[in-house]
Amino acid sequence: MKMMMGSSFPEEVLEHVFSFIERDKDRNAISTVCQSWYEIERWSRRRVFVGNCYAVSPAILIKRFPDVRCLELKGKPHFADFNLVPEGWGAYVAPWIAAASSAYPWLEEIRLKRMVIPDDSLELISKSFKNFKVLVLSSCEGFSTEGLAAIAANCRNLRELDLRESEVEDLNQSSGHWLSHFPDNYTSLVSLNIACLNSDVSFTALERLVGRCPNLRTLRLNRAVPLDRLAILLRRAPQLVELGTGEASDLRPDVLSNLSGAFSRLTSLNLSYAATIQSSDLIKLVSQCQNLQKLWVLDYIEDLGLEALAASCKDLRELRVFPSEPFGVEPNVLLTEQGLVSVSEGCPKLHSVLYFCRQMSNDALRTIARNRPNMTRFRLCIIEPRTPDYLTLESLDMGFGAIVEHCKDLRRLSLSGLLTDRVFEYIGTYGKKLEMLSVAFAGDSDLGLHHILSGCENLRKLEIRDCPFGDKALLANAAKLETMRSLWMSSCSVSFGACKLLGQKMPMLNVEVIDERGPPDSRPESCPVEKLYIYRTVSGPRLDMPGFVWTKDEDSALGLS
Amino acid sequence: MSPENRNYMPESDVVGLNLKETELTLGMPGETRVTTDTGVKLGTKRGFSETIDLNLGRSNVKCHDKVCDDELENDVLGGATKSLTEKAQLVGWPPVRASRKNVMKSCKFIKVAVDGAPYLRKVDLEMYNSYQQLLSALEDMFSCLTIRNYLNEKKLMDPANGVEYVATYEDRDGDWMLVGDVPWKMFVESCKRVRLMKSSEAIGLAPRTPQKCSSTA
């Protein structure tokens, strides 16, 4: 490669300099400086993140970045977690793995979220990449323990196997439990997360694995591992710093006291499936975890437990409180807005919150906002849709307004409760760093949507359900959609006519109409669609759409249909 | 900037579109909008139970076409009479993953397919205590179906076209059986997936005997 006229650095030097630049944003910026920088950068990019697997194709990726070592892909939209995306919608990873298997022999890390991955792909991974180290399958499906056995057996350098929240089919294997497929001389495990597995885990295989892997730091197990066994594992692996006990496990007081030493070293604790541990035990437990940075827990912790948390865990960064009875009409626990206020007061580093509760007030939200201007992720779910401020019976516009106004670094926000168009005015005005917004049962008119789309400059993902937003705001802000990753709207008022128009006007967008009622053109064009998913793409309409997804086709553009 | 000012939207942004044509309003056509002091527009807030009716499998349709309006009227009326204590569940609300819905009990999620319906649904068998409860839930989910108790057989029917469906399931051994033959608990243990098959195609599945039939319909 020739040196540029007037440029004083040979390629090798530039490459070395670029190796210190890690963030995608920065590398993207570097690549636009000039042609030779573009070339050097693309040959040296090792880590690629594809936020929407349909925004680009494997071929395009490989052509631009020929030597990738770490690949991260995301598939289905977030609301797929709540059954809003029908089965068979897409997000198949097989073509990506097939392409990577020949193009990237030195691939070390694959991270997938909400994608469908068959056992064949897992086997291909295990056999194609000699230096494979990290496999993270987050909310994925389509594979079984057979695929896991292939990974265990063939990936000699595997450090991390994380199946968080994935659906794994259990097959009774004659070749023995999949965990026992790790060879005896395999010792490199650093992190193992099998919490989502429904089947029994071979405890002997697990114990031997844990015993021979001196670098094991993270262990998340499923409900099949009883707590007294967990104590044995902890003694074998005293270096563990992250622990999760899996589903419906049972922390009896005697087991608790056995484990107390280990708990004080923990930085991350996930008890969100531990259904039988009640408030008093939870309080004892969290009081011992002074180094806790991340806590996921059920609302059994109650306001009292959160007060104890606020007093003991001064290093807490992330808190998630899940509902034990999400469908109950009456509250079953003493968890209110007060618990969250306590934690916001007591934990100065708290910046990421997911909180399910049944009552909230503008006052509480204002207090939280003032206490924690460093908040970056704030997701509040008041379980009953359109619940007003329980003290004043007003909307919660002002409370959420305070959150966006005071928390200037807020990147993610989920709204709930009674909200009018005004809250969107606040969000559009103050939410300048907001990247992801989730809205449900809120707003009065298109103005709400317009405020978001015209005001939030850094918005990347917007997901909306059951709001009276329609064509006007969407069409008036069509250009905005090309600056975002994706927009999801379900049970809103966007007409099929508007979808067609958008698809025709914006060739860089895929406008997908998902409708169970059959072809949308069998109904009047003014009829609202059930679900709408719009995303930008450089690889055109996808070729793997199922029968219930409609998008622009060449015929309609030419006016033939 | 007043949120009440409905003329705020710059129409020049969208050239050539007749926005009034596509303007959708909530509520019945011809109904005037009443605004309270706090800016909340009455008549546009759907009550919770109305929302449920509009969302459960039926079309959440609010268009100006006569056909759609009739459907809306029926849904609203149906919603008004539904008691709030018998709330059915909104799909996907509250936003918790399937695995978190039932922390107290174990979960047994299986896929349910209906011949002719475009996509599958998932149900947690542990949420029900009897076949009748399961069939009621399926009736809610696939709203075109109603339960028909016919000679002690539990069948489902689509009243729109009179097509009858029979509930079948695939057991642990891969055989397709009729739902209802074995005790409920045994069914929950062994069921891997459910298919509502058109009655006309279900001939060949062993009906009343507990023996397994090796043929699949």
Side-chain angles (χ1 to χ4, degrees), chain A residues 375-396:
Chain A
M375 192 73 73
T376 58
R377 289 193 283 275
F378 189 73
R379 296 156 69 189
L380 179 67
C381 180
I382 305 164
I383 289 174
E384 175 74 19
R386 301 198 186 90
T387 304
D389 177 327
Y390 77 100
L391 296 169
T392 64
L393 297 185
E394 287 170 351
S395 74
L396 289 170

Short mmCIF file of all heavy atoms in Angstrom, two decimals, chain A residues 375-396:
data_model
loop_
_atom_site.label_atom_id
_atom_site.label_comp_id
_atom_site.label_asym_id
_atom_site.label_seq_id
_atom_site.Cartn_x
_atom_site.Cartn_y
_atom_site.Cartn_z
N MET A 375 -28.42 8.86 36.70
CA MET A 375 -29.18 7.73 36.16
C MET A 375 -28.98 7.63 34.65
O MET A 375 -29.09 8.63 33.94
CB MET A 375 -30.67 7.93 36.47
CG MET A 375 -31.54 6.72 36.24
SD MET A 375 -31.33 5.41 37.47
CE MET A 375 -32.15 6.13 38.87
N THR A 376 -28.69 6.41 34.14
CA THR A 376 -28.55 6.23 32.69
C THR A 376 -29.64 5.34 32.11
O THR A 376 -29.97 5.44 30.94
CB THR A 376 -27.18 5.62 32.32
OG1 THR A 376 -27.06 4.36 32.98
CG2 THR A 376 -26.04 6.53 32.71
N ARG A 377 -30.17 4.41 32.95
CA ARG A 377 -31.24 3.53 32.47
C ARG A 377 -32.33 3.52 33.52
O ARG A 377 -32.10 3.14 34.66
CB ARG A 377 -30.70 2.12 32.26
CG ARG A 377 -29.78 2.00 31.06
CD ARG A 377 -29.54 0.55 30.70
NE ARG A 377 -28.61 -0.10 31.59
CZ ARG A 377 -27.29 -0.06 31.46
NH1 ARG A 377 -26.74 0.59 30.47
NH2 ARG A 377 -26.51 -0.68 32.31
N PHE A 378 -33.52 3.94 33.13
CA PHE A 378 -34.62 4.00 34.09
C PHE A 378 -35.86 3.39 33.46
O PHE A 378 -36.43 3.93 32.53
CB PHE A 378 -34.90 5.46 34.49
CG PHE A 378 -35.87 5.59 35.62
CD1 PHE A 378 -35.48 5.26 36.91
CD2 PHE A 378 -37.18 6.02 35.41
CE1 PHE A 378 -36.38 5.36 37.98
CE2 PHE A 378 -38.08 6.13 36.46
CZ PHE A 378 -37.67 5.81 37.75
N ARG A 379 -36.21 2.20 33.98
CA ARG A 379 -37.37 1.50 33.44
C ARG A 379 -38.32 1.24 34.57
O ARG A 379 -38.02 0.49 35.50
CB ARG A 379 -36.94 0.20 32.78
CG ARG A 379 -36.03 0.42 31.57
CD ARG A 379 -35.15 -0.78 31.30
NE ARG A 379 -35.92 -1.91 30.82
CZ ARG A 379 -35.41 -3.12 30.67
NH1 ARG A 379 -34.15 -3.37 30.98
NH2 ARG A 379 -36.16 -4.10 30.24
N LEU A 380 -39.48 1.88 34.50
CA LEU A 380 -40.47 1.75 35.55
C LEU A 380 -41.70 1.09 34.96
O LEU A 380 -42.22 1.55 33.94
CB LEU A 380 -40.83 3.13 36.11
CG LEU A 380 -41.89 3.13 37.21
CD1 LEU A 380 -41.35 2.46 38.47
CD2 LEU A 380 -42.32 4.56 37.52
N CYS A 381 -42.17 0.03 35.61
CA CYS A 381 -43.39 -0.60 35.14
C CYS A 381 -44.41 -0.61 36.27
O CYS A 381 -44.32 -1.41 37.20
CB CYS A 381 -43.13 -2.02 34.65
SG CYS A 381 -44.66 -2.78 34.08
N ILE A 382 -45.38 0.29 36.18
CA ILE A 382 -46.51 0.26 37.09
C ILE A 382 -47.49 -0.72 36.48
O ILE A 382 -47.94 -0.53 35.33
CB ILE A 382 -47.14 1.65 37.22
CG1 ILE A 382 -46.07 2.66 37.64
CG2 ILE A 382 -48.28 1.63 38.22
CD1 ILE A 382 -46.48 4.09 37.42
N ILE A 383 -47.78 -1.76 37.22
CA ILE A 383 -48.38 -2.94 36.62
C ILE A 383 -49.73 -2.70 35.96
O ILE A 383 -49.99 -3.23 34.88
CB ILE A 383 -48.44 -4.08 37.67
CG1 ILE A 383 -47.00 -4.56 37.89
CG2 ILE A 383 -49.33 -5.20 37.23
CD1 ILE A 383 -46.84 -5.57 38.98
N GLU A 384 -50.58 -1.91 36.56
CA GLU A 384 -51.87 -1.62 35.95
C GLU A 384 -51.69 -0.49 34.93
O GLU A 384 -51.21 0.60 35.27
CB GLU A 384 -52.86 -1.19 37.04
CG GLU A 384 -54.21 -0.74 36.54
CD GLU A 384 -55.09 -1.90 36.08
OE1 GLU A 384 -54.81 -3.05 36.47
OE2 GLU A 384 -56.04 -1.65 35.32
N PRO A 385 -52.07 -0.71 33.66
CA PRO A 385 -51.92 0.37 32.67
C PRO A 385 -52.70 1.62 33.09
O PRO A 385 -53.76 1.53 33.69
CB PRO A 385 -52.52 -0.23 31.40
CG PRO A 385 -52.42 -1.70 31.57
CD PRO A 385 -52.58 -1.95 33.04
N ARG A 386 -52.11 2.80 32.76
CA ARG A 386 -52.78 4.10 32.98
C ARG A 386 -53.06 4.41 34.45
O ARG A 386 -54.01 5.12 34.76
CB ARG A 386 -54.07 4.20 32.17
CG ARG A 386 -53.84 4.05 30.68
CD ARG A 386 -55.01 4.57 29.88
NE ARG A 386 -54.83 4.29 28.47
CZ ARG A 386 -55.24 3.17 27.87
NH1 ARG A 386 -55.88 2.26 28.55
NH2 ARG A 386 -55.02 2.99 26.59
N THR A 387 -52.24 3.89 35.34
CA THR A 387 -52.41 4.21 36.75
C THR A 387 -51.97 5.65 37.01
O THR A 387 -50.84 6.02 36.66
CB THR A 387 -51.56 3.28 37.62
OG1 THR A 387 -51.91 1.93 37.33
CG2 THR A 387 -51.79 3.55 39.10
N PRO A 388 -52.81 6.47 37.64
CA PRO A 388 -52.37 7.84 37.91
C PRO A 388 -51.51 7.92 39.17
O PRO A 388 -51.34 6.92 39.86
CB PRO A 388 -53.70 8.58 38.12
CG PRO A 388 -54.63 7.53 38.64
CD PRO A 388 -54.19 6.21 38.02
N ASP A 389 -51.00 9.11 39.45
CA ASP A 389 -50.34 9.42 40.71
C ASP A 389 -51.32 9.07 41.82
O ASP A 389 -52.43 9.60 41.87
CB ASP A 389 -50.00 10.91 40.71
CG ASP A 389 -49.35 11.38 42.01
OD1 ASP A 389 -49.69 10.85 43.10
OD2 ASP A 389 -48.54 12.31 41.94
N TYR A 390 -50.93 8.16 42.72
CA TYR A 390 -51.93 7.66 43.69
C TYR A 390 -52.26 8.71 44.75
O TYR A 390 -53.27 8.60 45.42
CB TYR A 390 -51.46 6.36 44.34
CG TYR A 390 -50.41 6.52 45.42
CD1 TYR A 390 -50.76 6.49 46.77
CD2 TYR A 390 -49.07 6.66 45.09
CE1 TYR A 390 -49.79 6.64 47.75
CE2 TYR A 390 -48.11 6.81 46.07
CZ TYR A 390 -48.47 6.80 47.40
OH TYR A 390 -47.51 6.94 48.36
N LEU A 391 -51.44 9.76 44.86
CA LEU A 391 -51.70 10.81 45.86
C LEU A 391 -52.59 11.91 45.29
O LEU A 391 -53.46 12.43 45.96
CB LEU A 391 -50.38 11.43 46.33
CG LEU A 391 -49.44 10.49 47.08
CD1 LEU A 391 -48.07 11.15 47.27
CD2 LEU A 391 -50.02 10.09 48.43
N THR A 392 -52.34 12.27 44.04
CA THR A 392 -53.05 13.41 43.48
C THR A 392 -54.05 13.03 42.39
O THR A 392 -54.83 13.86 41.95
CB THR A 392 -52.05 14.39 42.82
OG1 THR A 392 -51.44 13.69 41.72
CG2 THR A 392 -50.96 14.81 43.80
N LEU A 393 -53.96 11.77 41.95
CA LEU A 393 -54.78 11.26 40.84
C LEU A 393 -54.52 11.97 39.53
O LEU A 393 -55.28 11.84 38.57
CB LEU A 393 -56.28 11.33 41.19
CG LEU A 393 -56.67 10.45 42.37
CD1 LEU A 393 -58.18 10.48 42.58
CD2 LEU A 393 -56.20 9.01 42.18
N GLU A 394 -53.42 12.70 39.45
CA GLU A 394 -53.03 13.31 38.19
C GLU A 394 -52.21 12.33 37.36
O GLU A 394 -51.83 11.27 37.84
CB GLU A 394 -52.16 14.54 38.45
CG GLU A 394 -52.93 15.71 39.00
CD GLU A 394 -51.96 16.80 39.45
OE1 GLU A 394 -50.74 16.55 39.49
OE2 GLU A 394 -52.46 17.89 39.78
N SER A 395 -51.87 12.78 36.16
CA SER A 395 -50.98 11.97 35.34
C SER A 395 -49.58 12.03 35.93
O SER A 395 -49.29 12.87 36.79
CB SER A 395 -50.95 12.52 33.92
OG SER A 395 -50.18 13.71 33.89
N LEU A 396 -48.73 11.14 35.45
CA LEU A 396 -47.34 11.10 35.92
C LEU A 396 -46.41 11.87 34.99
O LEU A 396 -45.19 11.69 35.02
CB LEU A 396 -46.89 9.64 36.06
CG LEU A 396 -47.56 8.91 37.21
CD1 LEU A 396 -47.27 7.41 37.14
CD2 LEU A 396 -47.08 9.45 38.56
#
